[in-house]
Amino acid sequence: KSSSIDFYEESLAKNPRQPEARLALAKLYEKNKYYDKAAVSYQFYLGLVPDMEPKSRDKFQRKITKLQQRHLKQQQQLQASS
């Protein structure tokens, strides 16, 4: 884990209702291929920003779906290699 991930996880453990920190953590998870955690963090972020315009919300929803699919593919590859 990177220290940036640790920083945001600690910050959000103290106060989980920080949209900017939640979004930053989601992006870090995605960058580091923690696709399941990224999807959950993006979903949490959407819950913290209820007044987001529909077009942006749809973009995040598509990203979440794509991350969930990547996570499943990752799991299947792990099972196939074991």
Side-chain angles (χ1 to χ4, degrees), residues 14-31:
K14 294 174 189 164
N15 178 8
R17 301 188 63 78
Q18 302 177 68
E20 298 81 12
R22 184 63 62 181
L23 181 58
L25 182 60
K27 289 178 180 180
L28 284 169
Y29 281 149
E30 184 177 2
K31 182 180 173 185

Side-chain angles (χ1 to χ4, degrees), residues 28-63:
L28 284 169
Y29 281 149
E30 184 177 2
K31 182 180 173 185
N32 287 281
K33 300 183 180 176
Y34 299 125
Y35 300 128
D36 56 335
K37 290 183 176 186
V40 169
S41 289
Y42 280 120
Q43 287 173 325
F44 202 126
Y45 171 71
L46 287 178
L48 295 173
V49 188
D51 56 347
M52 182 184 293
E53 62 180 63
K55 190 174 181 179
S56 293
R57 185 169 293 279
D58 289 346
K59 182 180 158 190
F60 278 107
Q61 290 290 2
R62 285 192 303 275
K63 181 184 278 288

